[in-house]
Amino acid sequence: IVFSEAGRQDEAERCYESALRHFTATYGREHPLVATVLNNLGGVAFKRVRYEEAVASYREALAIKTLVLPPEHPSFGDVHGA
C-alpha cells in the first residue's frame, strides 16, 4: 500500500503479485487474504488507467469475500469503496 500511495505503481504491483502467489499457495484461492490482495491489485490497475483489469480484480475479490465471509463483515467496505 505504501508504494501505491507514493505513486510507485510498478513496485506496488510486484509486491502484490508476490503476495498473491504466496497467499494462494499457502491458503488456496478462496481466502480473505487473497481477496484483499486482489482488491489492492485492482487499485493499482485503476491508478494506471487499466480499468477493465481493475474491475476484474475487484469482482474476483468480491466473489471470494462473498463466499467466505458473512455479509456484515467490515472487509466488504473495501470492495464497495466505503
Side-chain angles (χ1 to χ4, degrees):
I1 294 175
V2 172
F3 287 135
S4 182
E5 293 300 317
R8 296 164 60 180
Q9 303 311 317
D10 288 339
E11 291 168 283
E13 187 171 37
R14 280 194 301 275
C15 288
Y16 291 141
E17 287 174 350
S18 176
L20 183 62
R21 285 189 301 276
H22 172 74
F23 290 148
T24 301
T26 303
Y27 303 113
R29 194 70 174 180
E30 295 173 351
H31 192 277
L33 289 174
V34 171
T36 297
V37 174
L38 286 167
N39 193 72
N40 292 343
L41 278 167
V44 170
F46 185 85
K47 287 178 181 179
R48 297 175 112 177
V49 194
R50 297 187 328 219
Y51 298 125
E52 289 181 23
E53 184 180 332
V55 169
S57 289
Y58 291 144
R59 284 186 176 155
E60 188 172 359
L62 180 58
I64 293 168
K65 289 182 180 192
T66 300
L67 184 66
V68 301
L69 297 173
E72 67 277 358
H73 194 279
S75 184
F76 280 101
D78 63 356
V79 293
H80 290 297

